[in-house]
Amino acid sequence: MTIPELDLIEDANRRAHAYLASVQSRRVFPDMATIESLSIFEEDLLQEPVDGAQTLALLDQAGSPATVTSNGPRYFGFVIGATLPVAAAADRLAQSWDQCASSHINSPAAAAIEKAASRMVLQALDLPQNAAIGFGTSATACGLSCLAVARRELLARLSWDVDQKGLMGAPPIRVVVSNVVHITIIKALRILGFGLQNIIYAPVDAHGRIDPEQLPDLDDHTILCLQAGEVNTGAFDPFAPLIAAARKAGAWVHVDGAFGLWARASRDLRHLTIGLEEADSWTTDGHKWLNTPYDSAMAICRDGDAMAACMNADAVYASAEPDAQKNLTLEFSRKARGISIWAVLRTLGREGLDQMITRHHQQAQRLGEGLREAGIEVLNAVVLNQVLARLDTDERTLALIKAVQDEGVIWFGGTRWNDRAAFRLSVSSWRTQDADIETAITEIKQKLEQL
Ligand SMILES: *Cc1c(COP(=O)(O)O)cnc(C)c1O
C-alpha cells in the first residue's frame, strides 16, 4: 500500500538534506540576481489544483537559493542562533504528530513534554522552581503577556478588578524602562494601552546599563522593566540594587532576557545576572541563543496563579487545568513549540549548555581582539556574545558594512550608538567554530584595507 503523503515527505527530506549540506559553504546572504528571481512567486491563485510535488519543487528551486544562511556558521547579524541538530530533528518529528498543544485533553504528550521543558528551563536558568512558563511565539508576545500580568496584578493589589472594570478610571500604572530598552517592550506597552508619552526612561551609563543612582522614583503603581543583554553591547542592568529598590517600593520587576538570560547557564557569565532571580517575571527566547527553531519563546512568571488568571481561556467546551498552556499564553491553539526546547536541554544538559554559551562569549572576545588589532574601535566591553564597533567616520563605517555584506563570506549588520554609525557582531550559532571567527577577522581586515 502506498501512502501518498510519504513520497512528498521523502522529497522534502531529500531537499532539506541537500540544503543543510550546503550551509557550511554557501553565501551568507543571497546575491541580487537570486533575490530578483524571487519574482517567480508573484503568481496569482491558481484555478486548478496541481501536484504537491510541483509546489515543493518550486519552493526549493526558487526559495532555497534566496535564503539567508543564518543557520550557518558565519552569520553574525542581529542575535540569530542556528538550529541545533536535535532541535531540528525533534521539531521535524513533532510536526508529523501535528499536536494542538493547548492542554492535556488536546495532547497528553505535548502537555507532558512541555511540563518537562518548563522544569528544565527553570533549572537551567536557576529561577524559582515553581514559576509558571508559557511557551509563546516570541519574546515580543511573551513580554506583552508578562506586562499584562504585571498590570493586572498591581491593579488587583490596589483593589481594582481590571478584568471587570477595564482601564477607564483605573489607578494609573507607571512604567519605568531603560533608556536603551528594546523596541518590542515599547511595542507591547503601546498595544496594551500604556501610552508612549507615559513611559518613564531611566538614564543609563556608557555601556547601556541603568544607573541605580539615577533610577526614577518607584512605588506600588510601577512596573520596572530591566534588561539582561542589551542588543548592541550585551550589557546587563545591575539587578541587585535595582530590584532591591523595586521590592522596597512594592513595584513589579520584569526582566527582558531575550538572549541574555542564558548567560545564567554559563559559570563564567553567571555573575552578570546575579540578583535577577528576585524579579517577578522574565522573558527569553529559544530561537536566539538556545538555538531552537523559530517561534520559540518563554514568558516566565514567579506567581504562576497571577499568570494563569490573566491568560485564562477556559470555555464550557474547553476547560483545562489552570496551568494548561492555553491558560498561560496568548494562543488558544498552537504547535508544541516547547518540544524543541525540551530536546535541546535534554540533550545538552548543564555542561553542554554551559560550553555553548561560554564558547560564544570567548569567540566574541576573540573577535573584539581581532578588530582592535586591525585598528578598529571596539565600543563595548565584550561581556557577552556581542561586539560593537565602528571606524573613524560614519561614512567609512557604512562602507565597510556594505563591502563585507556584498562579498557574502560573513554577514553582520549596522546600528547606531551614541548617535554615530556602528556595526555589531553577535556570536550565537552552535555551528560557529574558532576558525570561522578567524575567517571573519580576516574578511573584515581585507575589506578595511580596500576601503
Ligand atoms: C530579539 C529581542 C527581543 C524580541 O524578541 P523576538 O523573539 O524577536 O520577539 C526583545 N528583547 C531583546 C533584548 C531582544 O534581543
Side-chain angles (χ1 to χ4, degrees), residues 44-56:
D44 288 326
L45 180 64
L46 305 184
Q47 193 58 40
E48 300 296 332
V50 295
D51 190 354
Q54 187 204 325
T55 300
L56 191 67

Side-chain angles (χ1 to χ4, degrees), residues 180-194:
V180 289
V181 63
H182 196 268
I183 187 62
T184 57
I185 292 283
I186 300 298
K187 173 176 174 175
L189 292 170
R190 182 167 57 73
I191 291 172
L192 289 169
F194 280 92

Side-chain angles (χ1 to χ4, degrees), residues 152 163 305-315 318-329 332:
R152 184 181 183 280
D163 292 345
D305 294 340
M307 191 179 206
C310 182
M311 306 303 283
N312 185 277
D314 276 343
S319 69
E321 323 79 72
D323 65 345
Q325 280 294 313
K326 80 175 169 75
N327 291 333
L328 297 176
T329 57
F332 192 64

Side-chain angles (χ1 to χ4, degrees), residues 255-316:
V255 177
D256 174 10
F259 59 99
L261 210 58
W262 296 97
R264 277 176 86 73
S266 157
R267 278 179 289 251
D268 287 3
L269 302 179
R270 199 187 154 80
H271 65 96
L272 297 166
T273 75
I274 299 292
L276 73 69
E277 65 280 1
E278 299 297 330
D280 296 289
S281 57
W282 306 264
T283 45
T284 192
D285 275 321
H287 54 225
K288 287 179 178 173
W289 213 355
L290 191 61
N291 280 230
T292 65
Y294 276 98
D295 285 8
S296 170
M298 290 143 266
I300 311 175
C301 201
R302 173 186 297 279
D303 181 349
D305 294 340
M307 191 179 206
C310 182
M311 306 303 283
N312 185 277
D314 276 343
V316 284

